[in-house]
Amino acid sequence: MTRTRALTTPAADAAIEAACRALRLPTIRANFADLADRAERDQLTYRGFLAELFMTECDERDRRRADRRLRAAGFPRSKWLTDFDYDANSNVEPATINTLATCEWVKKGAPLCLIGDSGTGKSHLLIGLGSAAAMAGFKVRYVLASKLANELVEAADERQLTKTIARYGRVDLLCIDELGYMELDRRGAELLFQVLTEREEKSSVAIASNESFSGWTKTFTDPRLCAAIVDRLTFGGNIIETGTESYRLAQTKARQDRQS
């Protein structure tokens, strides 16, 4: 075997940088010098050093993919399950949320319903669980119920309904927020039902609503359609009731009391 002439350190660094550019390994290119110095200090074997290089590249690619999935989900703000205040809302069991955070329900295509008054943490949990699913590698999409209904009506008017429903059908988890805050017209409600039917027992839907199921007739004025939608969103799924006492309001009052 022919041996190549030993390279000086600057020449080796230049060769590695050029190779990383050609092979599209930006993380190794940015970190190989520091990793090499650390490997020398820690007396890593050649194999150990090589493993460090490739794991660094893979970890960074995983992080970038997760960031892309989070952006694609369209969450209006960042909310993480680790930031949820269970002490402020004793209705929510940490063990239940921790189990949901494993995303097994998303793998199974099961639905999730978060029911409770405003300020009880529904949207926080919805976004937090959606973010956990995105970080775990699932395609997630967040949308307000009224916005989704309006989008579907516009798509139907423009003869793009099949394409729009298919687009929502491709995500692993569809998070629908603020269901029940306003009445949906019959056409919008029927089209929303089509989206839910398309996903039934195949892909997960998670909803957050300020109305109990009995109050959904305010949103879906057709009783039969309302019953069918409730059935789609509860069969084989999880229901979490976050209660009626707003901890956001309680926190605001406590802060004002401290300042007064």
Side-chain angles (χ1 to χ4, degrees):
M1 183 176 65
T2 304
R3 288 183 176 274
T4 57
R5 181 169 57 84
L7 296 175
T8 63
T9 298
D13 287 351
I16 292 170
E17 180 161 345
C20 286
R21 288 183 184 277
L23 296 172
R24 297 182 180 177
L25 300 172
T27 305
I28 290 179
R29 179 168 59 85
N31 294 282
F32 76 86
D34 290 338
L35 290 172
D37 291 340
R38 190 174 72 190
E40 189 174 8
R41 288 195 306 269
D42 296 343
Q43 296 183 325
L44 289 183
T45 64
Y46 293 130
R47 284 185 175 86
F49 173 49
L50 192 60
E52 285 282 343
L53 282 176
F54 285 123
M55 285 191 295
T56 299
E57 184 71 42
C58 289
D59 288 346
E60 179 61 18
R61 290 189 180 192
D62 286 343
R63 187 194 66 77
R64 290 199 298 266
R65 280 192 289 266
D67 285 345
R68 287 195 294 271
R69 288 192 297 270
L70 284 172
R71 289 195 297 272
F75 296 121
R77 52 199 172 275
S78 294
K79 292 289 183 181
W80 302 100
L81 297 178
T82 51
D83 298 327
F84 189 80
D85 190 348
Y86 294 100
D87 292 331
N89 191 338
S90 58
N91 292 291
V92 180
E93 291 287 341
T96 300
I97 302 303
N98 290 337
T99 298
L100 290 170
T102 65
C103 299
E104 284 298 318
W105 62 286
V106 181
K107 290 180 184 177
K108 296 175 181 176
L112 168 67
C113 295
L114 297 157
I115 309 294
D117 282 4
S118 296
T120 57
K122 302 183 307 299
S123 291
H124 188 142
L125 292 174
L126 182 69
I127 295 172
L129 288 167
S131 297
M135 294 295 289
F138 295 99
K139 294 179 181 178
V140 181
R141 179 65 181 160
Y142 169 97
V143 66
L144 298 178
S146 57
K147 183 178 180 181
L148 176 57
N150 291 337
E151 182 181 351
L152 293 169
V153 170
E154 290 176 6
D157 290 340
E158 297 171 3
R159 298 186 178 182
Q160 297 292 316
L161 182 61
T162 300
K163 184 182 296 185
T164 302
I165 290 178
R167 187 174 72 249
Y168 280 105
R170 283 193 292 270
V171 299
D172 302 304
L173 172 60
L174 177 60
C175 299
I176 303 176
D177 205 355
E178 296 187 4
L179 185 65
Y181 278 79
M182 60 182 65
E183 178 183 327
L184 300 179
D185 65 66
R186 183 184 179 90
R187 191 178 178 210
E190 289 174 345
L191 294 174
L192 177 57
F193 177 69
Q194 284 190 41
V195 171
L196 299 179
T197 300
E198 176 73 17
R199 301 181 61 81
E200 187 180 13
E201 296 188 45
K202 295 186 297 185
S203 303
S204 290
V205 175
I207 65 98
S209 176
N210 66 320
E211 286 282 357
S212 62
F213 296 122
S214 61
W216 281 21
T217 49
K218 300 173 187 176
T219 300
F220 306 104
T221 54
D222 182 329
R224 294 179 63 185
L225 180 62
C226 180
I229 288 175
V230 171
D231 181 69
R232 293 289 189 279
L233 290 173
T234 57
F235 180 72
N238 301 277
I239 301 172
I240 297 176
E241 297 183 358
T242 58
T244 58
E245 296 182 9
S246 170
Y247 71 77
R248 277 208 307 258
L249 180 59
Q251 288 175 337
T252 301
K253 288 182 177 178
R255 187 165 55 250
Q256 290 175 341
D257 290 341
R258 288 195 300 269
Q259 293 172 348
S260 62

